[in-house]
Amino acid sequence: MSTEDQIAPLSPKTSPATATITPFTQRKESNSSSEDNRQDSWELVEDLQGLTGNIQKPEKQEGLLLKKRKWPMKGWHKRYFLLERGILTYAKTGTDLKKGRLRGRIDVGLSVMAMKKKSMCIDLDTEDSIYHLKAKTRDLFEQWVTQLRHHRTFRQNEITMEPPERPLQSDPTANRRVFTLLIQSCYWPKSTKPIMTQMFSTDQEVLVGSRPLRQQVSSESRGSIPESLSEFFDAKEYLLSGSSSENEASDDDSYVSDVSDSTSVEFCRNENGVAKEISSNGNNCAVKRRERLPSTRMNESVNLWSILRSNIGKDLSKVAMPVQLNEPLNTLQRLCEEVEYCHLLDTAANTHDPHMRMVYIAAFAVSAYACSFTRAGGKPFNPILGETYECLRPDKGFHFIAEQVSHHPPVSACHCESKNYTFWQDVRWKNKFWGKSMEIVPMGVTRLELFADRYEWSKVTSCIHNILSGQRWIEHYGEISIKHSTTMGDVSLCKSRSGGLNANEVEGMVTDSNGRVIHSLFGKWNEALYLGKPPSATCIWRANPMPEDHEQYYGFTQFAIELNELEEGLKPLLPLTDTRFRPDQRLLEEGDIAGAEEQKERTEVLQRERRRVLQENNITHSPRFFKRAEDDSWVSNGTYWDLRKDPGFSKLEFPVLW
């Protein structure tokens, strides 16, 4: 991980502090190799094709395997597994398994299964989680793979042959059938009434709740997300959904309590109302920004499985995707979305208490994920090498620029300034597809400067579930450790549990240089962050309300709706490389999918041609507005706004990107 090349010292009045935000769980990375090393590639286990009435009941398989766990206690841990009738359960020990002290439950018939022979790894991607398993010996690996294949085929045949109308049983054997019925409910019409579902806690006590089952949505409505994902997790689905995954509950099963509406919101501030901007003569003027996109989302079905099935465990950044999967925003613009709640940085800059300053910075770091809650239905456009984006917001007090500085690996750099702060980062993404889920793993460091003080943190991993069917939803997991420039040592972490009721929750703490906890934080990354402990906690940040019809418009927030708007008065001021001139993205925004796909292909051809010319002439691309720092990060070269003013971008030459 890179560090800042120039570190500003703390003032004598400033006590070093560290903020830690701990959301969710973590996953894993892998790579694939060439044909010569085929065993090091992920091999996908095919699904059952059609009904087979004579599949023999498989033998029971049990024993120790290694399971990857990244929070808490990272690494591979021994777990005792039992595979019976296509259901894989596991516990800490064999004794715990016999006593019913289960850690998780996986229906292998409903999972995408992949394996890597060389490393003896087996991956199971369920609807909610990704399980990474490993055998210690080659014989044990082959034995488990053989049994998993047999059990998976048996289970898939069993599910296919079961009549969907069969009611749920009220006896303890129902725990083997609940998850099957949940999946079968995907094929029932949307008018299906809520039915009784039985959930089991860790002591096999039956918890009964009346909740509507999750329903299948067609590709025409995948962009919509329910108002609150918590409706899917109101009962403890600990054993049924396998939501524990990499983040098993520890021996201390404490978790963040729900926050009531009565919690104090004394410090909670949002940026709403009519935008006020400053005209060139210094006078305030009201700016009317658009309240919706030119067109609703145009839905066309896409056979994603045919595109992705050969890319299990691989980086998807080089895989061409149809434009229907995109949203009409660019990755450079998504970086700008992270400063929507920049008022938190203004507040931090004007806060003299260094520990409270860290509280506001922590809230800002969490707020960057709020916009993604309703955005699991589409992906942003990948920027072209040399593509730029500017966002000038006098109403919010900042000016922002971004540029795609590298193509392979793809790197997006941005720089945001105001009178109170400077915020910059370069983001390098890895996308991994696991069968039902896609992980987005960011690299690079986010940096913030408040006068003489500097702070830095890294992003967490994001995972989009139900890529191929069902209701897509997004999960963030990992740790955000915010460090002051002179406090680069150990960071005290706060335990957080993932899945079930706690799927979106986040916990954190602010510590001093001695590791002493000064402030405690809790909340949900998609809703709010609170300081203190309930019921007397105070709200530091709350997400802005969504537009009423946001489901029809890609799940965009009001701030996102404004990002690609191109006013006539702005056109002559922008460089031709600005994202707002990009034709494929503009046509998608206007609802012309066919035209957008055509322009996307043309743009990609132009990019390949430019790259070929550079390679043939042994020329290395040089970014226009960013430069590489000594620590290998990308920073602004400070020329954008000066060139914009004099001589003006219309008088300068730029490459033809589209």
Side-chain angles (χ1 to χ4, degrees):
M1 184 176 294
S2 56
T3 55
E4 192 60 47
D5 51 338
Q6 295 181 350
I7 303 298
L10 274 171
S11 64
K13 295 182 180 179
T14 303
S15 172
T18 306
T20 302
I21 301 297
T22 309
F24 342 116
T25 59
Q26 290 188 346
R27 309 284 199 219
K28 79 164 210 181
E29 298 177 23
S30 66
N31 53 24
S32 56
S33 58
S34 63
E35 186 65 27
D36 293 336
N37 201 10
R38 187 176 178 182
Q39 286 192 342
D40 200 27
S41 299
W42 286 101
E43 177 186 343
L44 180 67
V45 178
E46 296 292 340
D47 288 334
L48 173 69
Q49 302 296 324
L51 285 172
T52 306
N54 59 350
I55 296 182
Q56 185 177 359
K57 178 182 175 182
E59 296 181 359
K60 185 168 62 173
Q61 171 79 11
E62 60 183 315
L64 290 171
L65 289 173
L66 297 177
K67 176 181 174 293
K68 196 163 191 179
R69 183 185 186 193
K70 288 196 174 182
W71 177 257
M73 296 175 63
K74 302 178 182 180
W76 294 93
H77 295 261
K78 286 183 180 180
R79 294 293 181 263
Y80 195 90
F81 287 83
L82 171 64
L83 179 60
E84 189 172 16
R85 296 184 64 90
I87 304 298
L88 183 65
T89 55
Y90 68 94
K92 215 169 185 179
T93 65
T95 302
D96 285 350
L97 189 70
K98 292 178 181 178
K99 292 182 177 180
R101 298 172 183 168
L102 302 182
R103 291 279 175 170
R105 180 183 186 276
I106 309 166
D107 190 328
V108 296
L110 298 172
S111 305
V112 174
M113 178 179 167
M115 57 184 179
K116 186 184 287 188
K117 293 183 179 179
K118 185 175 182 179
S119 56
M120 297 182 290
C121 289
I122 303 169
D123 278 19
L124 295 170
D125 188 350
T126 69
E127 188 173 87
D128 296 313
S129 303
I130 308 170
Y131 292 81
H132 304 294
L133 311 179
K134 189 174 184 179
K136 276 196 168 185
T137 66
R138 179 67 54 189
D139 290 342
L140 188 61
F141 171 76
E142 296 291 348
Q143 186 180 15
W144 273 100
V145 167
T146 300
Q147 288 293 342
L148 281 168
R149 284 179 183 271
H150 192 181
H151 279 260
R152 190 167 181 271
T153 302
F154 173 83
R155 180 69 179 134
Q156 288 182 348
N157 187 68
E158 183 180 57
I159 292 172
T160 305
M161 296 182 69
E162 275 184 335
E165 297 81 12
R166 189 170 179 178
L168 216 75
Q169 303 297 321
S170 59
D171 58 76
T173 61
N175 65 332
R176 295 186 302 174
R177 302 181 43 80
V178 173
F179 198 53
T180 299
L181 291 177
L182 286 173
I183 297 302
Q184 289 173 344
S185 69
C186 294
Y187 301 97
W188 294 344
K190 290 186 177 180
S191 60
T192 302
K193 299 295 183 181
I195 70 171
M196 299 297 288
T197 60
Q198 294 185 338
M199 305 302 180
F200 298 83
S201 66
T202 52
D203 58 4
Q204 305 296 53
E205 175 188 356
V206 179
L207 302 177
V208 181
S210 178
R211 286 288 171 186
L213 296 179
R214 191 175 318 197
Q215 297 171 357
Q216 170 91 0
V217 292
S218 65
S219 57
E220 286 77 21
S221 60
R222 282 177 185 165
S224 64
I225 298 293
E227 291 184 2
S228 174
L229 287 179
S230 61
E231 70 183 66
F232 295 140
F233 301 107
D234 279 348
K236 289 196 175 185
E237 302 175 90
Y238 187 55
L239 296 182
L240 296 175
S241 69
S243 59
S244 58
S245 185
E246 318 303 338
N247 186 49
E248 301 173 19
S250 66
D251 294 333
D252 176 11
D253 284 340
S254 60
Y255 55 91
V256 183
S257 303
D258 286 340
V259 182
S260 65
D261 293 335
S262 61
T263 304
S264 170
V265 293
E266 179 182 353
F267 299 132
C268 186
R269 305 173 187 175
N270 287 326
E271 296 288 312
N272 290 322
V274 179
K276 294 286 185 178
E277 295 198 356
I278 301 176
S279 60
S280 57
N281 60 9
N283 296 324
N284 288 339
C285 59
V287 175
K288 179 67 174 178
R289 298 187 179 275
R290 67 183 185 184
E291 297 180 354
R292 63 180 58 194
L293 299 177
S295 172
T296 58
R297 179 168 190 154
M298 306 299 291
N299 298 298
E300 290 189 9
S301 60
V302 177
N303 190 347
L304 261 181
W305 183 241
S306 64
I307 301 173
L308 298 176
R309 62 180 297 165
S310 60
N311 293 285
I312 297 290
K314 296 181 180 179
D315 190 339
L316 296 182
S317 61
K318 298 181 181 179
V319 180
M321 297 290 183
V323 76
Q324 295 98 311
L325 300 180
N326 286 15
E327 61 180 23
L329 279 183
N330 190 282
T331 295
L332 302 179
Q333 294 166 315
R334 288 295 296 266
L335 291 179
C336 189
E337 282 195 78
E338 295 185 15
V339 296
E340 175 177 358
Y341 300 97
C342 57
H343 65 282
L344 292 165
L345 297 182
D346 293 322
T347 303
N350 293 302
T351 300
H352 297 292
D353 183 342
H355 301 114
M356 274 305 298
R357 192 180 306 135
M358 292 289 282
V359 168
Y360 288 109
I361 295 172
F364 174 77
V366 171
S367 73
Y369 297 92
C371 65
S372 64
F373 182 68
T374 56
R375 302 279 278 283
K379 61 178 286 293
F381 278 82
N382 295 326
I384 301 299
L385 183 63
E387 188 171 345
T388 63
Y389 177 72
E390 78 160 54
C391 185
L392 182 60
R393 294 295 296 256
D395 59 315
K396 290 180 175 291
F398 71 77
H399 49 272
F400 172 98
I401 62 166
E403 181 177 3
Q404 190 71 4
V405 297
S406 174
H407 182 62
H408 286 308
V411 181
S412 305
C414 70
H415 182 92
C416 183
E417 282 191 32
S418 82
K419 65 178 182 180
N420 292 321
Y421 60 83
T422 302
F423 170 84
W424 71 100
Q425 62 178 325
D426 61 85
V427 181
R428 314 163 194 210
W429 307 93
K430 282 187 177 181
N431 300 315
K432 295 293 183 65
F433 175 61
W434 294 109
K436 288 189 176 183
S437 312
M438 183 174 72
E439 285 183 320
I440 304 170
V441 185
M443 296 168 287
V445 178
T446 300
R447 295 184 172 93
L448 171 68
E449 187 175 86
L450 298 178
F451 305 115
D453 292 338
R454 290 191 180 184
Y455 307 83
E456 65 178 38
W457 62 92
S458 298
K459 296 178 179 293
V460 298
T461 296
S462 301
C463 185
I464 302 175
H465 295 275
N466 296 337
I467 287 290
L468 301 176
S469 64
Q471 187 74 53
R472 291 181 190 168
W473 61 281
I474 194 165
E475 176 188 16
H476 302 293
Y477 39 77
E479 300 168 10
I480 303 177
S481 293
I482 306 171
K483 299 181 179 180
H484 191 277
S485 54
T486 60
T487 310
M488 308 303 288
D490 295 336
V491 178
S492 298
L493 298 178
C494 179
K495 186 186 72 171
S496 180
R497 227 170 59 170
S498 174
L501 290 168
N502 313 301
N504 304 321
E505 289 183 351
V506 56
E507 287 184 284
M509 59 181 67
V510 176
T511 61
D512 61 16
S513 57
N514 297 319
R516 183 171 62 96
V517 177
I518 306 299
H519 295 297
S520 296
L521 302 167
F522 70 97
K524 292 188 176 183
W525 58 266
N526 61 310
E527 293 180 2
L529 190 70
Y530 298 85
L531 172 65
K533 296 183 179 180
S536 60
T538 55
C539 180
I540 299 298
W541 161 79
R542 185 181 296 279
N544 290 325
M546 296 294 295
E548 291 183 2
D549 52 358
H550 66 274
E551 297 94 345
Q552 303 177 44
Y553 294 92
Y554 300 89
F556 281 7
T557 63
Q558 179 56 42
F559 187 69
I561 289 173
E562 301 166 0
L563 290 176
N564 202 49
E565 187 175 10
L566 183 58
E567 306 92 346
E568 286 298 322
L570 186 60
K571 288 183 179 179
L573 302 178
L574 297 175
L576 295 178
T577 55
D578 192 280
T579 294
R580 279 162 287 200
F581 292 124
R582 184 167 174 165
D584 51 358
Q585 184 172 314
R586 181 63 61 188
L587 288 170
L588 180 63
E589 182 183 89
E590 294 171 354
D592 185 354
I593 292 182
E597 186 64 50
E598 179 182 351
Q599 289 297 325
K600 180 175 179 289
E601 292 178 2
R602 188 180 70 85
T603 299
E604 291 170 350
V605 170
L606 285 174
Q607 180 173 230
R608 287 192 291 269
E609 181 63 21
R610 284 194 307 274
R611 187 164 65 251
R612 183 187 63 80
V613 171
L614 290 176
Q615 291 175 346
E616 289 179 352
N617 292 275
N618 198 27
I619 299 174
T620 302
H621 172 78
S622 179
R624 193 67 173 267
F625 305 112
F626 286 81
K627 62 182 180 181
R628 194 185 294 271
E630 293 181 1
D631 61 1
D632 204 37
S633 66
W634 290 91
V635 298
S636 170
N637 61 18
T639 63
Y640 185 91
W641 299 106
D642 289 338
L643 291 175
R644 187 182 192 270
K645 182 178 180 181
D646 185 19
F649 292 132
S650 61
K651 299 179 182 179
L652 299 176
E653 291 186 1
F654 289 91
V656 179
L657 300 185
W658 34 71

